[in-house]
Amino acid sequence: MTKLVLLCLKCIILCSTIEAVFEDQVGKFDWRQQYVGKVRFSHFDIHVQSSKKVLLATEKNVFAALNTRTGELFWRHVDKAGPEGNIDALLQHGQDAVLVIGNGRLLRSWETNVGGLNWEVVLDPGSFQSACLVGQQDTVKYMAVQKKTAISLHYLSNGHQRWIENLPESETVDYQAVYSGGNGEVYVLGVVPHSHITIVAYSVDDGEIIKQISVKAPWLSSIRASCTVVGQGMLTCVDSATASFYMLDLHVQPQMTQISLQSLGLDIYPGFRPGLLSTQPNPARPPLSEFFLQLGSEHYLLLQLNNGQIVSLRDFKPAMLASFATTGEKTVAVVMSPKNRTACSVNLFSADTGRRLLDTTLIFNIDPNGGKPEKLYVQAFLKKDDSVGYRVMVQTEDHTLTFIQQPGRVMWTREEALSDVVTMEMVDLPLTGTQAELEGEFGKKADGLMPMVMKRLCSQLILLQAWTAHLWKLFYNARKPRSQVKNDVTIENLSRDEFNLQKMMVMVTASGKLFGIDSKTGNILWRHYLDNIPPNAAFKLMVQRTTAHFPHPPQCTLLIKDKDSGLATLHVFNPIFGRKSHITPPALPQPILQSLMLPLMDQDYAKVLLLIDDQFKVSTFPSTKNVLQQLQEMASSIFFYLVDSSQGKLSGYRLRKDLSTELIWEVIIPAEAQRIVSVKGKRPSEHVHSQGRVMGDRSVLYKYLNPNLLAVVTESTDLHQERSFVGILLLDGVTGRIIHEAVQRKARGPVHVVHSENWVVYEYWSTKSRRNEFSVIELYEGMELYNSTAFSSLDRPHAPQVLQQSYIFPSSISTMEATLTEKGITSRHLLIGLPAGGILSLPKMFLDPRRPEIVSEQSREENLIPYSPELLIRTEWFVNYNQTVSRVRGIYTAPSGLESTCLVVAYGLDIYHTRVYPSKQFDVLKDDYDYMLISSVLFALFFATMISKRLAEVKLLNRAWR
Amino acid sequence: MASPGGQAGGGGALSTRGGSGARRMKWALELSLGNTRSRGDRQGGQGDVVYPIGYSEKPVPDTSIQETDKNLVEKRCWDVALGPLKQIPMNLFIMYMSGNTISIFPIMMVCMMAWRPIQALMSMSATFKLLESSSQQWLQGLVYLIGNLLGLALAIYKCQSMGLLPTHSSDWLAFIDPPQRMEIMGGGMVL
């Protein structure tokens, strides 16, 4: 018996599809883009004059080095997501970069040339406050890490702790900053808000407290926000209420001296929020005595501290950003000021005098579809004639990094917003211009015979022209080597290919920037930044009109909802060109709960969008008379459901003719015991080709294909491993009828669900056996169809048969999605994003509740694999071979024009696009198909037939003569 | 069929007669005594040829042989009519041997088994012409027809047992259209 089973398995393994790509197919159908996220800290590698590196530490917990010439990654280290891997500080010294990670949990030193780890040290627990390099006699050997209650000094060479000291009175004093001026002392600055400043000085050698003083400062609430150390240890604070500077010498500290801003000749308007910016080029020496004072959003002041007196060097107004840069012994001030509406100019100023340096203007063109500049990172270098040259990296509000060289040449841009894609859609490209022209001819209304003839001739002429141009291009390119022929896709020559494999990927990012990406090459074809997006907005992207209705442009609608106020806005745009549509979306004065796309169309072929507000009233977009009339006719068959996970309530509504709604059902899941994690319906674009499954005896088991079925996943609030559970509820969205309920005891989330056709697959963590498990539920109607022509949830007397099976999966997963094809003939695969960066294509065949434990004749006839609890991960199932996709957040699948092919986009920190063929390419000739051989054989056979026919005729004639 | 000319060789005097007077003899043997004639004489005096006794110019129908011929034809016709029936045991044996797996040889067998009766039925009129001489023509024709139909039924049964006939509901599964959706539903978590 076992032999038989083994034989069966072997057969199946041999017969099942081979997914792996061949070596020469690498990069042919797929591409990957790697991102780092919004930059938090950035340092230019300045210890070598000709260095091409910029180090970035980002809010996505990524530490990376970029090539400043090309913008490509030299190396990248992705730490844990969330607060555990949060990068708190980045200190750079020479070749080493030291990171403080996870709220002061770890200290890591990286070698910046190759990105290797020098050392890693686990710090004592405590909330991290600040860190700085500590130098002594012009050499930097230590770094200080200051936490809420303690300060420790570490060797830079190996991370070992030199000493650790508790901070005095840490319960009352809020220690916020640490400073070292290179004189063998480390100062910790703390504040009791609105009372006094506490300064503790430690000796670098043994951690002994040299002195501890407190100075009255009733106006101060936070050191980090309003204070900085300038010059020879002069703590300088600025207070907006009294509009004055307060200065305190850390070495002498008798008293705080107050200098009014008015005395500097500054006019202060009330309510300004000042900021200070100083620079300490060498940690072994005190900071420079020059510093910036920011007075308003576009007003900077370069000041100098001179023998206790503050001198104003230069007033920059308007100035958007200001920064310092140091090369060698020279320090310059860099100021970006607006030039006109579309450009900014960046200038260098001597830090000592405030004098403008000649020939240092750099023009930065603001992208009209981007955000405003937010941060300025300057790489200064000494030219051959000892003057200072520089390049700048500008970070804008939309998380874009732009690297610019003088006099304004953009060397590269990186769209770091793409590291945080929230939702996406794939839209068909339009036909080529000529095809569209032809279609347009028939689309327009006829206006007489002659004009029609003329129009026809014109379009034929255009076609001829396009064809000759194409021929000429072919001829021209034929002489070049193949590698040099570049197929640049631009927005102008964008057109649908033969099998609709090339599509436009519309991506919505958390920063509010929209992107249009060509799916074939990964080029960004358009970008559009929506400003004033609230930081915790929810997005929903819908395609209202596809490209199929030619004279009307395709139309996408993005619903943006502010989670705090509940108010929503609509952004209507053309997904091919990214332009905002001229259609004005309706104003939505009420908070919006959900939206619903109806299959109805208005006279312009735009699908109707229903928006449900918090009064459960419905508004439509577009809301023409035609639409309202159609809606009135259809109203009785339009239903929607809302899930409120905070109250554990699912409710179903029906639309009335007057566009109000009535509650028709409600399911309460007690929020104390379990909470609703996710609700998954079926994808409306999904086609199911086969209505049933053929059994071994050749009868049919019909699938229960309820388009209104919802899979509701709940997790227990009790997380104790004996009592936690995961529940799954299959519910009809129209009637609220519970079709099936399953509870997985001793299980815990996160639960990943895929709901498609007649099956639901979910994955959870089993706390009992401490492993990841997959479970699959399949629903069948039985051996007979109740109603084969129409499906109505209101008329379903029989409950479906439910089958379920579970399996062990060897890895945890980050996301899961099912493949989707045009007609649904191709078998389905599950695409599973693994935390290790692989994307696994697991045949659904392995997740089949009908897998028998004992093999029988019938099950063999059905090609069922005998049940085995373990699901294996086979390496050839990885669709992204060695192209690791970090932190996959979502996988999007779209059908192509070929039934065998499904387009896949995995997004997260990286973006990866590929094609998958779940049943192999049954409708395409292979890549290595030997056209030459086949056609030559055909021709040879043809000629052989001709010749032999002739020969036969001659022979026949000769015989007749005999 | 015995010819009358052959029987004439039994007598002592042989006169090879041509079908027509114009035919020249290659040689001639004259056995009449003292009546030696030249060639030219013979030619001229053909009408004087004396036939042996009992010889008649007209052939005499051979009644006894006619009877056995009739039996033979009858038998032959029955052979033809029973041919398809006789093949059935052979076909059964082949069917049994070839098994129910679907591969090239069993398929070829089945095709042949199905094709032969169909071909026979198509050329039914030719067979009827063959059976024309028989007295039991209609009975034989019926038997022939039944035999072929049986052969065809056997082939169909074989197809059925091999699973080639669309008799199950699963064979029509691909033609079922997806049911039309009566309600429109949507929604989701409160955004």
Side-chain angles (χ1 to χ4, degrees), chain A residues 175-285:
Chain A
Y175 291 100
Q176 290 183 334
V178 60
Y179 159 76
S180 158
N183 57 354
E185 289 172 13
V186 179
Y187 297 89
V188 181
L189 315 175
V191 63
V192 178
H194 307 294
S195 169
H196 60 270
I197 295 181
T198 303
I199 294 160
V200 188
Y202 289 91
S203 160
V204 170
D205 297 324
D206 49 6
E208 199 180 320
I209 295 180
I210 296 172
K211 57 196 165 195
Q212 178 183 357
I213 51 147
S214 60
V215 179
K216 268 205 168 343
W219 41 269
L220 187 68
S221 59
S222 163
I223 290 184
R224 213 174 287 146
S226 48
C227 294
T228 183
V229 180
V230 175
Q232 301 289 336
M234 187 71 90
L235 180 69
T236 309
C237 300
V238 62
D239 176 37
S240 60
T242 55
S244 50
F245 280 119
Y246 292 90
M247 328 252 311
L248 177 71
D249 194 328
L250 294 174
H251 307 299
V252 194
Q253 27 55 50
Q255 198 70 33
M256 278 216 148
T257 49
Q258 184 179 5
I259 301 172
S260 164
L261 288 177
Q262 257 102 6
S263 69
L264 296 169
L266 298 170
D267 44 338
I268 307 298
Y269 53 92
F272 83 114
R273 300 195 64 78
L276 290 172
L277 180 70
S278 67
T279 179
Q280 185 177 13
N282 186 348
R285 290 191 202 153

Side-chain angles (χ1 to χ4, degrees), chain A residues 51 106 137 297 311 393 416 468 532 536 582 652 753 763:
Chain A
S51 170
L106 285 176
Q137 288 128 26
S297 65
V311 184
M393 186 166 77
E416 291 303 338
T468 44
N532 62 54
N536 62 343
H582 56 83
V753 203
E763 192 261 5

Side-chain angles (χ1 to χ4, degrees), chain A residues 559 561 593-594 596 634 637 639-641 643 677 691-692 698 700 708 733 789-793, chain B residues 163 165 168-171 173 176-191:
Chain A
L559 176 72
K561 184 184 165 182
L593 295 182
Q594 244 311 339
L596 167 62
M634 299 278 293
S637 65
F639 299 82
F640 61 90
Y641 69 94
V643 181
V677 181
Q691 299 296 304
R698 302 181 64 207
V700 177
N708 309 319
T789 53
F791 191 99
S792 169
S793 290
Chain B
L165 293 186
H168 291 86
S169 52
S170 59
D171 300 315
L173 184 63
I176 303 176
D177 286 326
Q180 205 196 338
R181 196 175 165 176
M182 299 307 282
E183 293 97 11
I184 300 168
M185 190 220 54
M189 287 257 197
V190 172
L191 285 177

Side-chain angles (χ1 to χ4, degrees), chain A residues 669-742:
Chain A
I669 291 166
E672 307 85 61
Q674 48 187 328
R675 65 197 165 84
I676 301 170
V677 181
S678 70
V679 178
K680 284 267 173 101
K682 286 174 188 169
R683 289 177 69 165
S685 55
E686 182 182 81
H687 286 273
V688 182
H689 178 72
S690 181
Q691 299 296 304
R693 275 184 69 166
V694 181
M695 302 285 96
D697 60 353
R698 302 181 64 207
S699 59
V700 177
L701 188 59
Y702 288 99
K703 295 174 184 171
Y704 179 75
L705 294 168
N706 184 349
N708 309 319
L709 194 69
L710 305 174
V712 182
V713 179
T714 60
E715 281 176 24
S716 62
T717 45
D718 187 356
L719 288 177
H720 186 270
Q721 64 169 22
E722 287 295 314
R723 293 188 296 271
S724 67
F725 64 90
V726 164
I728 187 147
L729 196 69
L730 300 182
L731 184 103
D732 191 302
V734 169
T735 57
R737 182 180 170 191
I738 292 171
I739 308 279
H740 180 65
E741 203 175 357

